[in-house]
Each structure stands twice: as C-alpha cells, then as structure tokens.
Amino acid sequence: MSSHVLTEWNPEDKTFWETKGKAIATRNLWISIPCLFLAFAVWMVWSVVCVNLPLIGFKYSTNQLFWLAALPGLSGATLRIFYSFMVPIFGGRKWTAISTASLLIPAAGIGLAVQDPTTSYSTFLILAVLCGFGGGNFASSMANISFFFPKAQKGTALGLNAGLGNLGVSGMQFLVPLVIGTGTFAAVCGPAQMCIIGAEIKPMWLQNAAFIWIPFVIVSTIAAWFGMNDIASAKASFKDQAIIFRRKHNWLMCWLYLGTFGSFIGYSAGLPLLTKSQFPGINPVKYAFLGPLVGALIRPVGGWLADKLGGARVTFWNFILMAGAVVGVLAFLPHGGVGGNFWGFLAMFILLFATTGVGNGSTFRMIPIIFLTERQREAEGKGEAAKEQAIKDAGKEAAAVLGFTSAIAAYGAFFIPKSFGTSIAATGGPQTALYGFIAFYGSCILLTWWYYSRRNAEAPC
C-alpha cells in the first residue's frame, strides 16, 4: 500500500493522537489551507473583474454584470454537491491535488479572454461558470480535514481550514486591484488595455487578475500530491454516504449554513457591484476586501467559541446579530437616489461579515457533534463493537454532511448578487432583497432555538 495511505487512524485515542496522529493531522491541515485559499481566490475573482470590464470597453448592463458575479456561485454550489462525496471515494490527498490543479483552467481562460476586445459575453459567462471549480473545492476540503481531528478539536481545526481558506476572497480583492495596475508581468502576461475613467485614460493589465494565481496553484498542487495523506478507514462509496439524505439534521443544518456561509460568500460576490450602484462616487475595489477579511479571520474564533460555549448557543445569538446588521445596512442606504451614508453602510456590512464568520465556525462545529450523538444513542446497550462502529459511522456521515451543507450554502453566492440585481432592476434599490434576508435570518433563529439550543432540545450541541 502507498506510503501516503494511513492504514491506522484513531484520533480519539489520546495516546495515538499525541504520539503520532497530531503531527500528521497538522501537516495535512497546513497544506490544505493554501489550496483552499487559492480555490476561493479563483472562485470569487469575478467580483473584481466584472467591476473593471466596462472600464476597458466591454459595454454590459448592470444586470449582465451581476450575472457574471453570480454565476460562479451557482456552478460552485452545484459542483460542491458532487465534491462532497469525493474524498471517501478517491482519498483526500488525491482529490485535493486534482481539484487544486483544476483551477488552472479558469485562471488561464480569464487571463486570455480579457485581453481580446472581441471576446463575447457568452464566453465570459462560460468562464464565470468554470470558476465554480474553486467553489466546489471547499466541500471536499472540509470533509477531508474532518477525518483527521478528534471531536474536541474539530471546531478549531475546521475553523482554521475554512477561515484561513476564506481569506482567499479578501486576499484576492486586495491583491487584484494592485496587480492590474502594474506592467511588471507584461513580458509574460501580455500588454495593457486602455482604461477610461471620466476624462482620464490610463493602462490596466486586467489579465493579471487571473494569471497571478497560476504559479501558486502549481506549487500547491505539488505540495498536496506529495505531502498529504489518504485515510484507509475513511473510504466509503457514494451509496454508503447517501444515507445522509435520510437524516433530518442534514437538511436542517443545510438551512442554517446557508444563513451563515451563504451570506458570507454571497455578500463577498455582490458587495462591490452593490456599492458601485448605490454610491457611484466610491471606488468599491478599495474597500471590498475588508468585509471578507474580517469574516474569514473571525471564523476560527467562531469555532473556538463553539468548542467552549456550545455551537448551538453561539449560532442562535449570532443570527440575531446578523438580522440586526441588515437593519443597519438599510438605515444607511440612499433612499430615492438621495442621501445615504457610505461609511455607515460599510461599517454595517463589516459587522455583517463578522457575524457570518462567527456563524460559519459555530455551525460547522455543531455538525460532527449532532451526528456523533445520534449514532451513539443508537448504539447504547449494544456492546463495545457497536460503540466503535458508531464513532466510525458518525465520522463518515458528518464528513458527508459538512460537504453537502457547504454545497447548499454556496448557492448564496448566486442568489445574493442576483437578488440585489433583480431588486434594483424592479424597484430601483436593493431594499426588497435586504428585507427578504432579514426574514430568512428570522427562520434560522427559530430553527436553531427549537432543535438545538433550547432546554430539552432534540439534538443539543
């Protein structure tokens, strides 16, 4: 058997964990994180590229641009459904390397397309769909890391993997405006396009937004292939994993994670264009990275808080804060095309991103606890063999649920930008979409309280 395959893996055994398991798990985690960072960067690159397309001569309507920002979310979410089940089928090492390498396709495609002024809108739509490869990676990455750590440390480990991986969004939104303004890579990446801003004409190298990631993707793919591990006991067919579709708590956690991660990734994709449409005098790319940065950095804190206080309690209060933050956004928006306060608007969105980060960490800590509790209840009174099998079954189910809930939640990257675009087109402003988000968070508050956080809840966690 390959030296990369772990035939013995029992992180719940304290002796095994301290003498052998911890070092292996940590190495896999720290290789996984940059792979996931790059996946998020490529997935969300359209949130910045589409803002700049009109400046270099591509004449698209606001709604067409929102489509380009939203489509990676739609394709990424759909791919996550399939990626959720790939780690137990192929192995975490193999699938991480393959899925990371796939990012080269949209990165190269976008870099070439933006240099050709005759590139059609349909070509850009196809490239936006291909960026979904980056979105799909999150599901398999989180499922993989969940196998490596003991229950007591899953919240922190998953929070680090996801939180530092989520930094790919803010990292991209910070770095791309810098690299598209420099000709340093022109000899390799191609000449500038002429960017027209008012009466000013200046060069822009928009292809750098995509090409900049290619060398890092290659290095991370090699690191994953040679440095990560597959776990033999984590092997399972799709049929084995499909049992989660009969688990009620799979669907409940899909709804709650849509509220947290769906919000994080949806606001990340839609905020630059929303800012441009509501505050035309503001350059959104100067500030777009701040919200995702805060949300990503605070996600491990959400996992840590959930480990200390309980995932359900943290999630319940967090959804209340999320609804309040949206009320704040509404208060600072322009009304009837006049008024509004950009700094208040930005502050409320940064608060909203912070709450999405905390909620991302706390909900993902809930999932392994819920499924371990359920399987252990079923094994009570059936002997030690049944108890050991319950732990293995819970691990496989929780990994599949982690991936599948992330797939459903990723549709937020489509629905939130599209909701903004549709609301603006229909009513002249985004308020209708925001009121809808408040109602949705209200449903999340009720579900969390009833099933998980109240006294005598069905699945306290």
Side-chain angles (χ1 to χ4, degrees):
M1 185 172 284
S2 168
S3 60
H4 292 287
V5 178
L6 302 172
T7 55
E8 177 192 7
W9 193 253
N10 185 13
E12 299 296 342
D13 183 321
K14 291 184 179 180
T15 302
F16 172 84
W17 176 251
E18 292 297 333
T19 59
K20 187 176 180 180
K22 185 177 181 180
I24 295 172
T26 301
R27 171 165 42 82
N28 278 267
L29 174 62
W30 288 108
I31 295 175
S32 173
I33 286 169
C35 292
L36 192 54
F37 179 100
L38 292 166
F40 272 98
V42 173
W43 188 25
M44 288 288 106
V45 74
W46 274 107
S47 68
V48 175
V49 170
C50 64
V51 172
N52 289 287
L53 285 178
L55 301 179
I56 60 171
F58 293 95
K59 304 300 182 184
Y60 300 138
S61 69
T62 298
N63 201 39
Q64 284 178 308
L65 293 173
F66 269 112
W67 266 108
L68 289 175
L71 271 179
L74 182 63
S75 61
T78 303
L79 284 173
R80 281 188 181 194
I81 295 174
F82 301 99
Y83 281 38
S84 300
F85 305 101
M86 292 302 174
V87 167
I89 294 173
F90 286 93
R93 176 185 71 93
K94 296 186 190 75
W95 188 254
T96 301
I98 292 168
S99 60
T100 301
S102 73
L103 303 176
L104 295 170
I105 299 171
I110 293 171
L112 295 172
V114 297
Q115 295 181 76
D116 183 357
T118 66
T119 300
S120 65
Y121 182 65
S122 60
T123 299
F124 281 130
L125 289 174
I126 292 170
L127 289 169
V129 169
L130 289 174
C131 281
F133 284 144
N137 287 9
F138 182 81
S140 53
S141 179
M142 295 299 280
N144 183 45
I145 293 303
S146 74
F147 283 113
F148 281 95
F149 287 84
K151 179 177 72 172
Q153 297 181 35
K154 283 186 189 292
T156 302
L158 292 171
L160 284 169
N161 189 55
L164 298 182
N166 288 170
L167 279 176
V169 179
S170 57
M172 177 277 299
Q173 291 180 337
F174 175 78
L175 183 61
V176 165
L178 299 179
V179 299
I180 65 177
T182 177
T184 303
F185 313 110
V188 177
C189 299
Q193 306 90 43
M194 289 300 106
C195 172
I196 303 172
I197 304 176
E200 184 183 359
I201 300 176
K202 63 180 183 179
M204 176 185 288
W205 291 264
L206 192 55
Q207 65 269 25
N208 290 352
F211 284 154
I212 190 66
W213 308 110
I214 288 178
F216 298 106
V217 169
I218 292 171
V219 170
S220 295
T221 299
I222 294 170
W225 185 260
F226 290 103
M228 295 185 75
N229 297 97
D230 299 318
I231 299 175
S233 61
K235 286 285 186 180
S237 67
F238 173 78
K239 182 179 179 181
D240 293 335
Q241 299 174 78
I243 193 171
I244 68 168
F245 298 121
R246 302 202 301 269
R247 305 299 193 199
K248 176 178 66 177
H249 292 288
N250 171 52
W251 301 105
L252 292 173
M253 292 309 301
C254 281
W255 190 262
L256 298 184
Y257 198 55
L258 178 62
T260 58
F261 180 79
S263 297
F264 170 82
I265 204 65
Y267 295 137
S268 297
L271 185 57
L273 278 174
L274 178 66
T275 302
K276 191 68 176 176
S277 68
Q278 299 303 298
F279 300 93
I282 298 294
N283 180 2
V285 298
K286 288 184 177 181
Y287 308 101
F289 74 95
L290 290 172
L293 175 65
V294 170
L297 287 176
I298 207 169
R299 179 168 184 155
V301 176
W304 177 81
L305 280 174
D307 282 339
K308 299 297 182 183
L309 304 176
R313 180 185 299 176
V314 174
T315 300
F316 173 77
W317 288 105
N318 191 70
F319 275 124
I320 294 174
L321 285 175
M322 289 181 73
V326 178
V327 173
V329 170
L330 283 162
F332 290 110
L333 278 173
H335 296 275
V338 296
N341 183 304
F342 170 72
W343 298 110
F345 167 87
L346 181 62
M348 287 298 102
F349 257 110
I350 290 176
L351 173 60
L352 188 52
F353 272 107
T355 57
T356 67
V358 170
N360 286 340
S362 64
T363 50
F364 255 32
R365 193 268 186 183
M366 291 168 65
I367 290 170
I369 306 303
I370 291 168
F371 283 86
L372 180 60
T373 300
E374 281 206 317
R375 301 292 77 76
Q376 286 179 328
R377 282 175 180 170
E378 293 172 357
E380 284 180 3
K382 296 181 180 179
E384 288 301 316
K387 290 180 180 179
E388 291 178 8
Q389 187 62 43
I391 293 173
K392 292 180 181 179
D393 290 345
K396 292 178 182 179
E397 288 186 26
V401 172
L402 287 169
F404 186 72
T405 54
S406 78
I408 301 303
Y411 282 108
F414 171 76
F415 285 115
I416 287 181
K418 196 67 191 72
S419 295
F420 286 145
T422 300
S423 179
I424 291 169
T427 67
Q431 285 84 351
T432 300
L434 291 165
Y435 283 121
F437 301 154
I438 292 172
F440 177 78
Y441 297 147
S443 71
C444 293
I445 292 167
L446 291 174
L447 283 177
T448 304
W449 177 78
W450 181 257
Y451 285 102
Y452 305 115
S453 71
R454 67 184 175 92
R455 183 178 299 178
N456 298 322
E458 181 178 317
C461 52

